[in-house]
Amino acid sequence: MLEAKGITLRLGRAEVLRGVDFFARAGDVTAIAGPNGSGKTSLMRVLTGEAPLPGRARLNGLDVARTAPGRLAGLRAVLPQAVQVAFPFTLREIVAMGHEAGEAAGQGGVVEAALAAVDLADKAHRPLPELSGGEQSRGHLARALAQVWEPVGPSGPRWLFLDEPVAALDIAHQLQVMRRARAFADAGGGVVAVMHDLNLTAMFADRLVLMAGGRVLAEGAPADVLRDEVLEATYGCRLRANAVPSFGPWVLPQAVAV
Amino acid sequence: MADVPVLPDALRGPWLRPDGLTLALVALVAGVSVLSLGSGAAGVPLSRVLPALAGIEALDRRDAVILWDIRLPRLAMGLLVGAALAVAGGLMQGLFRNPLADPGLVGVGAGAGLGAVLTIVLGGSLGAWAGPALVPMAAFAGGWAVTMLLARIATRAGRTSVATLLLAGIAIGALAGAATGVLVFLADDTQLRDLTFWSMGSLAGASWVKLAAAAPLILAVLALAPRLGRGLDALALGEAAAQHMGVPVERTKRLAILATAAAAGAAVALSGGIAFVGIVVPHLLRLASGPGHRMLLPRAALLGGALLAAADIVARGIVAPAELPIGVVTAVLGAPVFLWILLRRAGTGAI
């Protein structure tokens, strides 16, 4: 269980989070969506301990702000929006770094399996800066997977925090990554993902938390949250759920079996 | 392909693994050491050095003094100073996430220089009291003071900003340089000569006494540095990512800064300003075997030591019986390599 209560966060003079309550259950994929600047990433930073607010966020019962980084690293892995790697580490070295940070460090084969899970087994020995943006993004996902390889560990469910995990990916890899997250949750782990793609969110998430202006505007099952008036209030533009346009081509991944 | 542990646990982790490159570096250190002990203006030839060291052959009194009291401490100082500079460079580069960082960049060198110049120009009677250890002690104190000041400036609410550290280091380095300039202006001719030689670096003043003062500090840094390796590797992905991977980021940064100040300060104190070893050695090793700091830092100690000891052989040999300041030799050999690295990086758009 991940719980956060009354989160208010200031960055300089701006109040980026105003009294946000948030929870996520292990076994669920919990999506956070909302317009740019609504506070999604700031919320992630509090939930992962990057912006420490003592007593405000608890993961598996532990106060995130007061738990040692090494202990947290065994419980949860984080995929940030973008990572700049300063030195030409190989993809394999990067994924191994994640694996060494987890509780199963040293277990054979995990690094290779994580690379295979994101379709990058054949690029293991390439320096990361030489890979494409999407490949680097998947490489970092493999690093996070290798860190919390088993969805449930000795001290309870493990967690994946994914900040826009599919933003840089082609549609095939978007589906592959979301399936991977779904499988992690189905096996008992917890997944919290910041998402911009509402269709993929509807396909794969159990709960959707919509944010705007540093507050939670709506939360619940995607089918309940993705309603016209809620979407218009959140994004500030006209939107219609489940209305098929009569012009132009469209491609719906929902049309094929998940 | 699974990872098969091929070594007992005691040999894994941060310590140097005995692979090909490491063995080659150890051989390089050994070879340079023997050459260094056997070369010099006054003759204890190479053929007699090893038997003498092994205790097989007895040297006459004069040769024994040359070997044990002049060449050995000089070699030890070259190896230690080279190792300290290279490891300090590797630590700075990891900390700043920049392959071109160097202890000189954050003002440690300028602070140490100011300490030394202060005592050379204004020391006077102090020098008579404290003896030959005065200049090294002052240099060390100067480097240390600058580091502490920087850490204070760059730390807000328990977090150290690396960018502030770097910029403040440049500013304080410039101030220390200006103060040094004033002192140079005040100096008389003899002091100017001392200053010039000190600022270009030399191993000529090597003695067991000086080594005893600085060696423990350098050896402690050499032992600590590889233990910071995992943290520095993770920091290459940024502070947030490192924290998510369980690295105590603030502690790692602070230890890396202190270790750099200790190693660079002790090195400058022993031998004056020696350029380029700190930048070039870690860079060469990164090109040879990848950027992982756990391997890089101990290997940098070996290669840095070997390079400085080799530069000392050149410094002593090329204009014998006089000798060049060793900083001149490292700069002449190091600057073209550095330029080559810069051009290569510029070509790939990495700068």
Side-chain angles (χ1 to χ4, degrees), chain B residues 254-317:
Chain B
R254 245 172 261 147
L255 280 174
I257 294 166
L258 287 181
T260 304
V268 173
L270 278 178
S271 62
I274 296 179
F276 289 112
V277 176
I279 280 187
V280 168
V281 168
H283 212 102
L284 289 176
L285 288 169
R286 240 181 255 116
L287 290 176
S289 62
H293 290 89
R294 271 174 282 195
M295 288 283 113
L296 182 93
L297 293 172
R299 280 175 180 158
L302 291 173
L303 184 57
L307 280 187
L308 202 61
D312 187 47
I313 298 175
V314 175
R316 282 185 286 158

Side-chain angles (χ1 to χ4, degrees), chain B:
Chain B
M1 192 172 59
D3 278 331
V4 182
V6 291
L7 287 170
D9 281 347
L11 288 178
R12 293 170 69 86
W15 302 107
L16 203 52
R17 222 170 291 152
D19 60 359
L21 180 58
T22 303
L23 292 179
L25 288 173
V26 170
L28 182 67
V29 169
V32 169
S33 299
V34 171
L35 263 181
S36 170
L37 291 175
S39 67
V44 184
L46 205 52
S47 57
R48 290 175 61 200
V49 164
L50 281 184
L53 283 179
I56 299 167
E57 188 184 338
L59 295 172
D60 65 43
R61 192 173 159 68
R62 191 192 74 111
D63 287 357
V65 167
I66 290 174
L67 184 61
W68 291 101
D69 293 344
I70 297 176
R71 290 198 191 158
L72 258 183
R74 184 164 182 147
L75 169 66
M77 193 153 119
L79 293 175
L80 274 175
V81 168
L85 291 173
V87 168
L91 285 169
M92 278 285 105
Q93 291 166 17
L95 180 69
F96 287 115
R97 311 179 64 209
N98 189 324
L100 300 177
D102 182 78
L105 203 65
V106 289
V108 178
L114 178 58
V117 172
L118 260 175
T119 47
I120 290 173
V121 177
L122 304 178
S125 55
L126 262 183
W129 171 72
L134 180 66
V135 173
M137 271 165 38
F140 180 71
W144 191 261
V146 166
T147 309
M148 287 297 128
L149 184 62
L150 282 176
R152 264 195 105 99
I153 291 174
T155 305
R156 284 279 142 77
R159 294 176 85 91
T160 305
S161 157
V162 171
T164 310
L165 193 71
L166 178 63
L167 293 171
I170 290 170
I172 291 176
L175 272 180
T180 304
V182 171
L183 288 166
V184 168
F185 177 73
L186 294 175
D188 64 32
D189 283 355
T190 329
Q191 290 166 343
L192 269 180
R193 194 175 157 72
D194 282 354
L195 283 177
T196 311
F197 270 89
W198 191 86
S199 69
M200 286 189 291
S202 172
L203 299 180
S207 70
W208 291 118
V209 178
K210 278 191 192 174
L211 274 173
L217 204 59
I218 294 176
L219 291 174
V221 172
L222 296 186
L224 166 76
R227 297 185 169 276
L228 295 172
R230 190 180 94 82
L232 292 175
D233 284 357
L235 273 177
L237 278 66
E239 290 185 19
Q243 192 200 323
H244 295 322
M245 287 192 281
V247 172
V249 170
E250 286 305 317
R251 197 174 72 198
T252 303
K253 284 195 289 186
R254 245 172 261 147
L255 280 174
I257 294 166
L258 287 181
T260 304
V268 173
L270 278 178
S271 62
I274 296 179
F276 289 112
V277 176
I279 280 187
V280 168
V281 168
H283 212 102
L284 289 176
L285 288 169
R286 240 181 255 116
L287 290 176
S289 62
H293 290 89
R294 271 174 282 195
M295 288 283 113
L296 182 93
L297 293 172
R299 280 175 180 158
L302 291 173
L303 184 57
L307 280 187
L308 202 61
D312 187 47
I313 298 175
V314 175
R316 282 185 286 158
I318 204 161
V319 289
E323 63 176 78
L324 281 175
I326 195 167
V328 171
V329 177
T330 57
V332 164
L333 298 179
V337 176
F338 186 55
L339 202 57
W340 170 69
I341 291 169
L342 275 174
L343 290 173
R344 251 177 56 110
R345 284 172 55 84
T348 60
I351 282 184

